[in-house]
Each structure stands twice: as C-alpha cells, then as structure tokens.
Amino acid sequence: MDFSDGDFELREVQKLEGHSDRVWSLAWNPVTAGSSGMLASCSGDKTVRIWQRGPSGSWECSAVLEDTHTRTVRSCAWSPSGTLLATASFDGTTAIWENVGGDFECVTTLEGHENEVKSVAWSASGSLLATCARDKTVWIWEMQPGNEFECVSVLQGHTQDVKMVQWHPFLEVLVSVSYDNSIKVWTEDGDDDDWHCVQTITEASSGHASTVWALSFNSTGDKMATCSDDLTLKLWGTASGISNGIESWQHLSTLSGYHDRTVFSVHWSREGLLASGAADDAIRIFYESRDTDTVDQLSYKMLLKKEKAHEMDVNCVQWNPKEATLLASASDDGTIKIWELSQVSI
C-alpha cells in the first residue's frame, strides 16, 4: 500500500467496555490474532480481561482474570506459543496464566522485585521472560519444565524506575527504557553466562531528554522506535540487524513537533507503520517517506492524527500481528478501542 498517495482514516470498529479503572496495556495473542482473534487487556482495577472475536466479527469479553493481583496490573504479554499470558502488577509480582480451552489458570507467581513491576516481555523463543520495576532493576527469568521459572540474572544499571522491557524479535537481545531518560541494551556474555549492558543511549548520544516510556522493534529487527516525555519519537537502526547481538544502535531520525503532551506508547506494524498514543488523547500514525532529498536520513511523515481517539490519555497502541490494518488502543477512560486503517474513497 502506498501511504504517500491518497488520504487515510482510522475508523472505530468497536469500543470495548468492562474495566472499572484505567486500562494500561494490551497484547494481541500471536497465534489466534486472525479471524478468531484474542486480545488481553490489563487495568488499574486489578484485573485482566480476555477479549475474543466472535463469528459475527464483534468482540466480547470471554474471561476476567482476577483475585490474583492485589494492585494495578500494569503490563501483559503472551508467550510466542499463545498459550501462556504473563501479567505484571504494582503488587510486586508477575503472574503466569495458562490458557486451557479458553479457561485461564494462574500456574505460577514470580516474586522478587521490591515494588511495582512495570513491564513484562517474552523472548522470541519463549524460553526467557524479562520483567522490570520501580526498584530500578530488570530481571531475566528462564522457563523450566512444568511452568516453573528461575531468575537467572538481575540487571542493575538504571538509576530510576524502569518503564518497559522488550526483546528483539528473533535474537536474545533485551532493551529497557527508564525514568532516568536512558535506553539500555542487554545481552548474555557467553564467557560467564551472565547478562551485561552492551550499550547505553542517553541525551548525549542523541537520546531522549526526559523519561522514556516505551519502545518497539520493527518486524525485521533492524529498526527500533522509542517515545518519551520529551514529546518526541526517536528511530534507531543497525547496519545488519545486530547480527551478533552487540552491534550498536545508531540514531536515525527524531520525530518532533507532532506531540504536545507526553508520548506513552509507540508500536510498529508489520508493514512499517508507526502508531503513537499520547496524553493529548490522540493517536498518530506515521509512514516512511521516500523523499529523494533525505536519502541520508530516515524520513517519516504523519499519515493521520485521530483527535479525541479517547476521552483521556492513550496509554497503549498495538497493531494486530496478522491483520496489518487493525489497531487496538487503551486509555485512562477505562475503554479499549479497535480501529481499522483504510484509504478514503474518492
């Protein structure tokens, strides 16, 4: 699809209601994301909701995961197999839920962080899980037989609250972003089997000037986007997709002047579109521009801005991994919305 040709719109397909507090995070099930799609959402109401698309195409809440977390559930993530869901909470724990025929059971709870767990992410192989917290640490857990998990490394290096962790789409390389304004890249050292920080990106190295809230990799793993309280999105790239896990990320471009409030979420679609959600209640979508006068720099332009996408802050935007034009968003207003990106007919 040529995004430079014609006008596009973000059409609201359905508003999902049920949470009684702000919705913090969303995760599409990677296996059932198609016609029988499944979406997880987590909230300040201490619950996780599972939404399923029915035969008619409408989305319904098929399960409510509750009575496990005692405080806000801040982050949720599906395992690559789509059978396990990890949920991270301000109660200091991460719960692992198993989906057995549509019934979800909490099979284990991971403890160790001193306070609020802010993010959880699975590695591409599904064998590793990463968590991060307000205690300034990142923990790496290895999955054992019988849904057991062992903490194999506690990563210390951030000086403030760690907001998000995300694994590279096919390498065991982990990136964390923090309230300390930095981005850190972590890999395992084969010599001592421990994890180490191999790169720190700060404002001095073209990084952000304020809290970094989120990051997203593109589908091929050679680009990364970050978003911040400094009102910018930044794009990063490597020459060969960090083939050895230690190649440095280089600054490619800064998208500024589009947001006038904190940017909370950024997510890359499989077709290379960037969506962002911010405290101005809007969703923006960017596309890569092929302008010949910017050959030496990656150029992204705004495809559209959806004003008042929600009544309050947009905390999370997530493209569907199988349907490239389907986007989900979550908000402080307690709702989730499903959107369809389409070209406006002339």
PDB file of all heavy atoms in Angstrom, residues 91-128:
ATOM      1  N   ASP A  91       1.679  -4.855  42.620  1.00  0.00           N
ATOM      2  CA  ASP A  91       1.830  -5.599  43.883  1.00  0.00           C
ATOM      3  C   ASP A  91       3.201  -6.273  43.988  1.00  0.00           C
ATOM      4  O   ASP A  91       3.481  -6.979  44.961  1.00  0.00           O
ATOM      5  CB  ASP A  91       0.699  -6.615  44.076  1.00  0.00           C
ATOM      6  CG  ASP A  91       0.695  -7.739  43.028  1.00  0.00           C
ATOM      7  OD1 ASP A  91       1.700  -7.906  42.312  1.00  0.00           O
ATOM      8  OD2 ASP A  91      -0.327  -8.451  42.938  1.00  0.00           O
ATOM      9  N   GLY A  92       4.073  -6.041  42.980  1.00  0.00           N
ATOM     10  CA  GLY A  92       5.433  -6.565  43.011  1.00  0.00           C
ATOM     11  C   GLY A  92       5.590  -7.945  42.420  1.00  0.00           C
ATOM     12  O   GLY A  92       6.699  -8.493  42.411  1.00  0.00           O
ATOM     13  N   THR A  93       4.501  -8.517  41.891  1.00  0.00           N
ATOM     14  CA  THR A  93       4.565  -9.876  41.347  1.00  0.00           C
ATOM     15  C   THR A  93       4.247  -9.898  39.856  1.00  0.00           C
ATOM     16  O   THR A  93       3.636  -8.968  39.315  1.00  0.00           O
ATOM     17  CB  THR A  93       3.576 -10.824  42.061  1.00  0.00           C
ATOM     18  OG1 THR A  93       2.228 -10.470  41.674  1.00  0.00           O
ATOM     19  CG2 THR A  93       3.725 -10.739  43.565  1.00  0.00           C
ATOM     20  N   THR A  94       4.652 -10.991  39.234  1.00  0.00           N
ATOM     21  CA  THR A  94       4.281 -11.286  37.853  1.00  0.00           C
ATOM     22  C   THR A  94       3.592 -12.644  37.856  1.00  0.00           C
ATOM     23  O   THR A  94       4.152 -13.624  38.354  1.00  0.00           O
ATOM     24  CB  THR A  94       5.511 -11.329  36.938  1.00  0.00           C
ATOM     25  OG1 THR A  94       6.174 -10.058  36.999  1.00  0.00           O
ATOM     26  CG2 THR A  94       5.128 -11.646  35.507  1.00  0.00           C
ATOM     27  N   ALA A  95       2.377 -12.703  37.340  1.00  0.00           N
ATOM     28  CA  ALA A  95       1.619 -13.952  37.307  1.00  0.00           C
ATOM     29  C   ALA A  95       1.710 -14.574  35.919  1.00  0.00           C
ATOM     30  O   ALA A  95       1.752 -13.863  34.905  1.00  0.00           O
ATOM     31  CB  ALA A  95       0.163 -13.716  37.682  1.00  0.00           C
ATOM     32  N   ILE A  96       1.756 -15.889  35.880  1.00  0.00           N
ATOM     33  CA  ILE A  96       1.756 -16.634  34.619  1.00  0.00           C
ATOM     34  C   ILE A  96       0.455 -17.415  34.549  1.00  0.00           C
ATOM     35  O   ILE A  96       0.146 -18.230  35.427  1.00  0.00           O
ATOM     36  CB  ILE A  96       2.949 -17.609  34.528  1.00  0.00           C
ATOM     37  CG1 ILE A  96       4.272 -16.881  34.812  1.00  0.00           C
ATOM     38  CG2 ILE A  96       2.963 -18.287  33.162  1.00  0.00           C
ATOM     39  CD1 ILE A  96       4.654 -15.815  33.808  1.00  0.00           C
ATOM     40  N   TRP A  97      -0.304 -17.156  33.502  1.00  0.00           N
ATOM     41  CA  TRP A  97      -1.609 -17.791  33.295  1.00  0.00           C
ATOM     42  C   TRP A  97      -1.525 -18.742  32.116  1.00  0.00           C
ATOM     43  O   TRP A  97      -0.940 -18.417  31.084  1.00  0.00           O
ATOM     44  CB  TRP A  97      -2.677 -16.741  33.008  1.00  0.00           C
ATOM     45  CG  TRP A  97      -2.767 -15.647  34.016  1.00  0.00           C
ATOM     46  CD1 TRP A  97      -1.958 -14.538  34.106  1.00  0.00           C
ATOM     47  CD2 TRP A  97      -3.718 -15.523  35.076  1.00  0.00           C
ATOM     48  NE1 TRP A  97      -2.340 -13.744  35.149  1.00  0.00           N
ATOM     49  CE2 TRP A  97      -3.418 -14.315  35.767  1.00  0.00           C
ATOM     50  CE3 TRP A  97      -4.787 -16.311  35.509  1.00  0.00           C
ATOM     51  CZ2 TRP A  97      -4.162 -13.887  36.864  1.00  0.00           C
ATOM     52  CZ3 TRP A  97      -5.526 -15.880  36.600  1.00  0.00           C
ATOM     53  CH2 TRP A  97      -5.218 -14.688  37.262  1.00  0.00           C
ATOM     54  N   GLU A  98      -2.148 -19.898  32.262  1.00  0.00           N
ATOM     55  CA  GLU A  98      -2.190 -20.863  31.166  1.00  0.00           C
ATOM     56  C   GLU A  98      -3.611 -20.936  30.614  1.00  0.00           C
ATOM     57  O   GLU A  98      -4.588 -21.024  31.365  1.00  0.00           O
ATOM     58  CB  GLU A  98      -1.749 -22.249  31.637  1.00  0.00           C
ATOM     59  CG  GLU A  98      -1.644 -23.258  30.498  1.00  0.00           C
ATOM     60  CD  GLU A  98      -1.016 -24.578  30.923  1.00  0.00           C
ATOM     61  OE1 GLU A  98      -1.013 -24.880  32.131  1.00  0.00           O
ATOM     62  OE2 GLU A  98      -0.537 -25.300  30.038  1.00  0.00           O
ATOM     63  N   ASN A  99      -3.695 -20.884  29.292  1.00  0.00           N
ATOM     64  CA  ASN A  99      -4.980 -20.974  28.610  1.00  0.00           C
ATOM     65  C   ASN A  99      -5.234 -22.424  28.225  1.00  0.00           C
ATOM     66  O   ASN A  99      -4.541 -22.979  27.367  1.00  0.00           O
ATOM     67  CB  ASN A  99      -4.963 -20.084  27.365  1.00  0.00           C
ATOM     68  CG  ASN A  99      -6.261 -20.143  26.584  1.00  0.00           C
ATOM     69  OD1 ASN A  99      -7.265 -20.660  27.062  1.00  0.00           O
ATOM     70  ND2 ASN A  99      -6.245 -19.605  25.368  1.00  0.00           N
ATOM     71  N   VAL A 100      -6.200 -23.021  28.863  1.00  0.00           N
ATOM     72  CA  VAL A 100      -6.581 -24.401  28.550  1.00  0.00           C
ATOM     73  C   VAL A 100      -8.022 -24.386  28.054  1.00  0.00           C
ATOM     74  O   VAL A 100      -8.961 -24.323  28.852  1.00  0.00           O
ATOM     75  CB  VAL A 100      -6.433 -25.325  29.774  1.00  0.00           C
ATOM     76  CG1 VAL A 100      -6.793 -26.768  29.387  1.00  0.00           C
ATOM     77  CG2 VAL A 100      -5.028 -25.256  30.347  1.00  0.00           C
ATOM     78  N   GLY A 101      -8.162 -24.412  26.744  1.00  0.00           N
ATOM     79  CA  GLY A 101      -9.505 -24.441  26.162  1.00  0.00           C
ATOM     80  C   GLY A 101     -10.359 -23.248  26.508  1.00  0.00           C
ATOM     81  O   GLY A 101     -11.582 -23.371  26.637  1.00  0.00           O
ATOM     82  N   GLY A 102      -9.726 -22.103  26.668  1.00  0.00           N
ATOM     83  CA  GLY A 102     -10.480 -20.896  26.988  1.00  0.00           C
ATOM     84  C   GLY A 102     -10.584 -20.594  28.464  1.00  0.00           C
ATOM     85  O   GLY A 102     -11.042 -19.516  28.854  1.00  0.00           O
ATOM     86  N   ASP A 103     -10.180 -21.550  29.305  1.00  0.00           N
ATOM     87  CA  ASP A 103     -10.145 -21.319  30.747  1.00  0.00           C
ATOM     88  C   ASP A 103      -8.726 -20.949  31.160  1.00  0.00           C
ATOM     89  O   ASP A 103      -7.765 -21.640  30.807  1.00  0.00           O
ATOM     90  CB  ASP A 103     -10.590 -22.572  31.514  1.00  0.00           C
ATOM     91  CG  ASP A 103     -12.061 -22.877  31.315  1.00  0.00           C
ATOM     92  OD1 ASP A 103     -12.848 -21.920  31.177  1.00  0.00           O
ATOM     93  OD2 ASP A 103     -12.423 -24.066  31.286  1.00  0.00           O
ATOM     94  N   PHE A 104      -8.600 -19.863  31.904  1.00  0.00           N
ATOM     95  CA  PHE A 104      -7.284 -19.376  32.304  1.00  0.00           C
ATOM     96  C   PHE A 104      -7.028 -19.691  33.771  1.00  0.00           C
ATOM     97  O   PHE A 104      -7.840 -19.378  34.634  1.00  0.00           O
ATOM     98  CB  PHE A 104      -7.175 -17.870  32.058  1.00  0.00           C
ATOM     99  CG  PHE A 104      -7.059 -17.518  30.608  1.00  0.00           C
ATOM    100  CD1 PHE A 104      -8.192 -17.463  29.799  1.00  0.00           C
ATOM    101  CD2 PHE A 104      -5.824 -17.262  30.032  1.00  0.00           C
ATOM    102  CE1 PHE A 104      -8.096 -17.145  28.456  1.00  0.00           C
ATOM    103  CE2 PHE A 104      -5.707 -16.944  28.684  1.00  0.00           C
ATOM    104  CZ  PHE A 104      -6.847 -16.882  27.898  1.00  0.00           C
ATOM    105  N   GLU A 105      -5.876 -20.300  34.015  1.00  0.00           N
ATOM    106  CA  GLU A 105      -5.489 -20.657  35.369  1.00  0.00           C
ATOM    107  C   GLU A 105      -4.125 -20.062  35.674  1.00  0.00           C
ATOM    108  O   GLU A 105      -3.200 -20.151  34.854  1.00  0.00           O
ATOM    109  CB  GLU A 105      -5.418 -22.181  35.515  1.00  0.00           C
ATOM    110  CG  GLU A 105      -4.963 -22.640  36.897  1.00  0.00           C
ATOM    111  CD  GLU A 105      -4.692 -24.135  36.954  1.00  0.00           C
ATOM    112  OE1 GLU A 105      -4.909 -24.828  35.933  1.00  0.00           O
ATOM    113  OE2 GLU A 105      -4.241 -24.609  38.016  1.00  0.00           O
ATOM    114  N   CYS A 106      -4.001 -19.438  36.849  1.00  0.00           N
ATOM    115  CA  CYS A 106      -2.698 -18.913  37.262  1.00  0.00           C
ATOM    116  C   CYS A 106      -1.847 -20.096  37.710  1.00  0.00           C
ATOM    117  O   CYS A 106      -2.151 -20.755  38.707  1.00  0.00           O
ATOM    118  CB  CYS A 106      -2.861 -17.903  38.391  1.00  0.00           C
ATOM    119  SG  CYS A 106      -1.291 -17.199  38.940  1.00  0.00           S
ATOM    120  N   VAL A 107      -0.782 -20.384  36.955  1.00  0.00           N
ATOM    121  CA  VAL A 107       0.022 -21.581  37.227  1.00  0.00           C
ATOM    122  C   VAL A 107       1.250 -21.282  38.067  1.00  0.00           C
ATOM    123  O   VAL A 107       1.823 -22.186  38.683  1.00  0.00           O
ATOM    124  CB  VAL A 107       0.441 -22.286  35.918  1.00  0.00           C
ATOM    125  CG1 VAL A 107      -0.776 -22.886  35.235  1.00  0.00           C
ATOM    126  CG2 VAL A 107       1.169 -21.334  34.967  1.00  0.00           C
ATOM    127  N   THR A 108       1.672 -20.008  38.102  1.00  0.00           N
ATOM    128  CA  THR A 108       2.794 -19.654  38.973  1.00  0.00           C
ATOM    129  C   THR A 108       2.831 -18.136  39.144  1.00  0.00           C
ATOM    130  O   THR A 108       2.304 -17.390  38.321  1.00  0.00           O
ATOM    131  CB  THR A 108       4.142 -20.161  38.412  1.00  0.00           C
ATOM    132  OG1 THR A 108       5.152 -19.997  39.397  1.00  0.00           O
ATOM    133  CG2 THR A 108       4.548 -19.395  37.167  1.00  0.00           C
ATOM    134  N   THR A 109       3.445 -17.710  40.239  1.00  0.00           N
ATOM    135  CA  THR A 109       3.625 -16.286  40.510  1.00  0.00           C
ATOM    136  C   THR A 109       5.099 -16.022  40.774  1.00  0.00           C
ATOM    137  O   THR A 109       5.711 -16.698  41.605  1.00  0.00           O
ATOM    138  CB  THR A 109       2.774 -15.838  41.720  1.00  0.00           C
ATOM    139  OG1 THR A 109       1.396 -16.112  41.458  1.00  0.00           O
ATOM    140  CG2 THR A 109       2.933 -14.350  41.968  1.00  0.00           C
ATOM    141  N   LEU A 110       5.664 -15.058  40.054  1.00  0.00           N
ATOM    142  CA  LEU A 110       7.079 -14.730  40.182  1.00  0.00           C
ATOM    143  C   LEU A 110       7.245 -13.563  41.151  1.00  0.00           C
ATOM    144  O   LEU A 110       6.633 -12.504  40.975  1.00  0.00           O
ATOM    145  CB  LEU A 110       7.665 -14.362  38.817  1.00  0.00           C
ATOM    146  CG  LEU A 110       7.369 -15.323  37.658  1.00  0.00           C
ATOM    147  CD1 LEU A 110       8.061 -14.846  36.386  1.00  0.00           C
ATOM    148  CD2 LEU A 110       7.795 -16.732  38.005  1.00  0.00           C
ATOM    149  N   GLU A 111       8.055 -13.779  42.164  1.00  0.00           N
ATOM    150  CA  GLU A 111       8.281 -12.753  43.183  1.00  0.00           C
ATOM    151  C   GLU A 111       9.761 -12.418  43.260  1.00  0.00           C
ATOM    152  O   GLU A 111      10.615 -13.223  42.920  1.00  0.00           O
ATOM    153  CB  GLU A 111       7.778 -13.243  44.547  1.00  0.00           C
ATOM    154  CG  GLU A 111       6.298 -13.573  44.567  1.00  0.00           C
ATOM    155  CD  GLU A 111       5.838 -14.074  45.926  1.00  0.00           C
ATOM    156  OE1 GLU A 111       6.710 -14.334  46.782  1.00  0.00           O
ATOM    157  OE2 GLU A 111       4.623 -14.213  46.128  1.00  0.00           O
ATOM    158  N   GLY A 112      10.058 -11.213  43.684  1.00  0.00           N
ATOM    159  CA  GLY A 112      11.457 -10.816  43.834  1.00  0.00           C
ATOM    160  C   GLY A 112      11.653  -9.316  43.744  1.00  0.00           C
ATOM    161  O   GLY A 112      12.479  -8.754  44.456  1.00  0.00           O
ATOM    162  N   HIS A 113      10.910  -8.663  42.867  1.00  0.00           N
ATOM    163  CA  HIS A 113      11.025  -7.209  42.783  1.00  0.00           C
ATOM    164  C   HIS A 113      10.570  -6.564  44.091  1.00  0.00           C
ATOM    165  O   HIS A 113       9.641  -7.043  44.746  1.00  0.00           O
ATOM    166  CB  HIS A 113      10.182  -6.670  41.618  1.00  0.00           C
ATOM    167  CG  HIS A 113      10.808  -6.867  40.268  1.00  0.00           C
ATOM    168  ND1 HIS A 113      11.945  -6.191  39.868  1.00  0.00           N
ATOM    169  CD2 HIS A 113      10.450  -7.662  39.226  1.00  0.00           C
ATOM    170  CE1 HIS A 113      12.254  -6.553  38.632  1.00  0.00           C
ATOM    171  NE2 HIS A 113      11.374  -7.454  38.217  1.00  0.00           N
ATOM    172  N   GLU A 114      11.193  -5.457  44.443  1.00  0.00           N
ATOM    173  CA  GLU A 114      10.895  -4.798  45.705  1.00  0.00           C
ATOM    174  C   GLU A 114       9.558  -4.060  45.685  1.00  0.00           C
ATOM    175  O   GLU A 114       8.944  -3.854  46.733  1.00  0.00           O
ATOM    176  CB  GLU A 114      12.003  -3.791  46.045  1.00  0.00           C
ATOM    177  CG  GLU A 114      13.350  -4.431  46.338  1.00  0.00           C
ATOM    178  CD  GLU A 114      14.433  -3.398  46.570  1.00  0.00           C
ATOM    179  OE1 GLU A 114      14.098  -2.183  46.666  1.00  0.00           O
ATOM    180  OE2 GLU A 114      15.610  -3.789  46.669  1.00  0.00           O
ATOM    181  N   ASN A 115       9.126  -3.649  44.509  1.00  0.00           N
ATOM    182  CA  ASN A 115       7.885  -2.876  44.421  1.00  0.00           C
ATOM    183  C   ASN A 115       7.286  -3.019  43.021  1.00  0.00           C
ATOM    184  O   ASN A 115       7.479  -4.060  42.390  1.00  0.00           O
ATOM    185  CB  ASN A 115       8.133  -1.406  44.792  1.00  0.00           C
ATOM    186  CG  ASN A 115       9.434  -0.883  44.210  1.00  0.00           C
ATOM    187  OD1 ASN A 115       9.762  -1.197  43.066  1.00  0.00           O
ATOM    188  ND2 ASN A 115      10.177  -0.096  44.979  1.00  0.00           N
ATOM    189  N   GLU A 116       6.609  -1.996  42.549  1.00  0.00           N
ATOM    190  CA  GLU A 116       5.791  -2.101  41.349  1.00  0.00           C
ATOM    191  C   GLU A 116       6.533  -2.660  40.138  1.00  0.00           C
ATOM    192  O   GLU A 116       7.550  -2.116  39.733  1.00  0.00           O
ATOM    193  CB  GLU A 116       5.240  -0.721  40.965  1.00  0.00           C
ATOM    194  CG  GLU A 116       4.242  -0.150  41.943  1.00  0.00           C
ATOM    195  CD  GLU A 116       4.864   0.899  42.851  1.00  0.00           C
ATOM    196  OE1 GLU A 116       6.003   0.654  43.316  1.00  0.00           O
ATOM    197  OE2 GLU A 116       4.220   1.928  43.074  1.00  0.00           O
ATOM    198  N   VAL A 117       5.997  -3.745  39.563  1.00  0.00           N
ATOM    199  CA  VAL A 117       6.523  -4.280  38.297  1.00  0.00           C
ATOM    200  C   VAL A 117       5.802  -3.537  37.178  1.00  0.00           C
ATOM    201  O   VAL A 117       4.574  -3.494  37.122  1.00  0.00           O
ATOM    202  CB  VAL A 117       6.308  -5.800  38.184  1.00  0.00           C
ATOM    203  CG1 VAL A 117       7.009  -6.343  36.940  1.00  0.00           C
ATOM    204  CG2 VAL A 117       6.831  -6.517  39.427  1.00  0.00           C
ATOM    205  N   LYS A 118       6.591  -2.949  36.270  1.00  0.00           N
ATOM    206  CA  LYS A 118       6.026  -2.057  35.253  1.00  0.00           C
ATOM    207  C   LYS A 118       5.833  -2.706  33.887  1.00  0.00           C
ATOM    208  O   LYS A 118       5.033  -2.254  33.085  1.00  0.00           O
ATOM    209  CB  LYS A 118       6.940  -0.829  35.095  1.00  0.00           C
ATOM    210  CG  LYS A 118       7.050   0.047  36.344  1.00  0.00           C
ATOM    211  CD  LYS A 118       5.729   0.677  36.699  1.00  0.00           C
ATOM    212  CE  LYS A 118       5.809   1.591  37.893  1.00  0.00           C
ATOM    213  NZ  LYS A 118       6.474   2.863  37.611  1.00  0.00           N
ATOM    214  N   SER A 119       6.629  -3.765  33.593  1.00  0.00           N
ATOM    215  CA  SER A 119       6.554  -4.338  32.258  1.00  0.00           C
ATOM    216  C   SER A 119       7.034  -5.781  32.284  1.00  0.00           C
ATOM    217  O   SER A 119       7.873  -6.153  33.110  1.00  0.00           O
ATOM    218  CB  SER A 119       7.413  -3.508  31.292  1.00  0.00           C
ATOM    219  OG  SER A 119       7.453  -4.069  29.999  1.00  0.00           O
ATOM    220  N   VAL A 120       6.483  -6.568  31.368  1.00  0.00           N
ATOM    221  CA  VAL A 120       6.888  -7.963  31.219  1.00  0.00           C
ATOM    222  C   VAL A 120       6.932  -8.289  29.730  1.00  0.00           C
ATOM    223  O   VAL A 120       6.122  -7.782  28.949  1.00  0.00           O
ATOM    224  CB  VAL A 120       5.926  -8.913  31.976  1.00  0.00           C
ATOM    225  CG1 VAL A 120       4.485  -8.784  31.457  1.00  0.00           C
ATOM    226  CG2 VAL A 120       6.406 -10.358  31.894  1.00  0.00           C
ATOM    227  N   ALA A 121       7.921  -9.101  29.332  1.00  0.00           N
ATOM    228  CA  ALA A 121       8.078  -9.435  27.906  1.00  0.00           C
ATOM    229  C   ALA A 121       8.699 -10.810  27.759  1.00  0.00           C
ATOM    230  O   ALA A 121       9.585 -11.190  28.526  1.00  0.00           O
ATOM    231  CB  ALA A 121       8.950  -8.387  27.212  1.00  0.00           C
ATOM    232  N   TRP A 122       8.247 -11.555  26.732  1.00  0.00           N
ATOM    233  CA  TRP A 122       8.791 -12.870  26.398  1.00  0.00           C
ATOM    234  C   TRP A 122       9.826 -12.742  25.295  1.00  0.00           C
ATOM    235  O   TRP A 122       9.650 -11.955  24.357  1.00  0.00           O
ATOM    236  CB  TRP A 122       7.691 -13.808  25.887  1.00  0.00           C
ATOM    237  CG  TRP A 122       6.626 -14.145  26.875  1.00  0.00           C
ATOM    238  CD1 TRP A 122       5.490 -13.420  27.110  1.00  0.00           C
ATOM    239  CD2 TRP A 122       6.558 -15.289  27.724  1.00  0.00           C
ATOM    240  NE1 TRP A 122       4.730 -14.055  28.062  1.00  0.00           N
ATOM    241  CE2 TRP A 122       5.356 -15.204  28.462  1.00  0.00           C
ATOM    242  CE3 TRP A 122       7.396 -16.391  27.922  1.00  0.00           C
ATOM    243  CZ2 TRP A 122       4.968 -16.165  29.380  1.00  0.00           C
ATOM    244  CZ3 TRP A 122       7.019 -17.350  28.851  1.00  0.00           C
ATOM    245  CH2 TRP A 122       5.822 -17.242  29.567  1.00  0.00           C
ATOM    246  N   SER A 123      10.856 -13.563  25.368  1.00  0.00           N
ATOM    247  CA  SER A 123      11.809 -13.646  24.260  1.00  0.00           C
ATOM    248  C   SER A 123      11.166 -14.395  23.097  1.00  0.00           C
ATOM    249  O   SER A 123      10.162 -15.092  23.273  1.00  0.00           O
ATOM    250  CB  SER A 123      13.081 -14.357  24.696  1.00  0.00           C
ATOM    251  OG  SER A 123      12.817 -15.729  24.975  1.00  0.00           O
ATOM    252  N   ALA A 124      11.765 -14.271  21.921  1.00  0.00           N
ATOM    253  CA  ALA A 124      11.197 -14.885  20.717  1.00  0.00           C
ATOM    254  C   ALA A 124      11.086 -16.398  20.841  1.00  0.00           C
ATOM    255  O   ALA A 124      10.164 -17.018  20.300  1.00  0.00           O
ATOM    256  CB  ALA A 124      12.042 -14.517  19.502  1.00  0.00           C
ATOM    257  N   SER A 125      12.013 -17.018  21.560  1.00  0.00           N
ATOM    258  CA  SER A 125      11.987 -18.475  21.719  1.00  0.00           C
ATOM    259  C   SER A 125      10.965 -18.925  22.758  1.00  0.00           C
ATOM    260  O   SER A 125      10.592 -20.098  22.810  1.00  0.00           O
ATOM    261  CB  SER A 125      13.376 -18.973  22.149  1.00  0.00           C
ATOM    262  OG  SER A 125      13.670 -18.510  23.468  1.00  0.00           O
ATOM    263  N   GLY A 126      10.524 -17.999  23.598  1.00  0.00           N
ATOM    264  CA  GLY A 126       9.598 -18.345  24.672  1.00  0.00           C
ATOM    265  C   GLY A 126      10.269 -18.939  25.894  1.00  0.00           C
ATOM    266  O   GLY A 126       9.603 -19.267  26.873  1.00  0.00           O
ATOM    267  N   SER A 127      11.587 -19.050  25.866  1.00  0.00           N
ATOM    268  CA  SER A 127      12.299 -19.669  26.985  1.00  0.00           C
ATOM    269  C   SER A 127      12.705 -18.663  28.054  1.00  0.00           C
ATOM    270  O   SER A 127      13.051 -19.046  29.175  1.00  0.00           O
ATOM    271  CB  SER A 127      13.538 -20.405  26.488  1.00  0.00           C
ATOM    272  OG  SER A 127      14.433 -19.493  25.874  1.00  0.00           O
ATOM    273  N   LEU A 128      12.676 -17.370  27.700  1.00  0.00           N
ATOM    274  CA  LEU A 128      13.080 -16.334  28.647  1.00  0.00           C
ATOM    275  C   LEU A 128      11.963 -15.319  28.818  1.00  0.00           C
ATOM    276  O   LEU A 128      11.215 -15.008  27.873  1.00  0.00           O
ATOM    277  CB  LEU A 128      14.340 -15.614  28.164  1.00  0.00           C
ATOM    278  CG  LEU A 128      15.618 -16.450  28.047  1.00  0.00           C
ATOM    279  CD1 LEU A 128      16.721 -15.624  27.410  1.00  0.00           C
ATOM    280  CD2 LEU A 128      16.053 -16.966  29.423  1.00  0.00           C
TER     281      LEU A 128
END
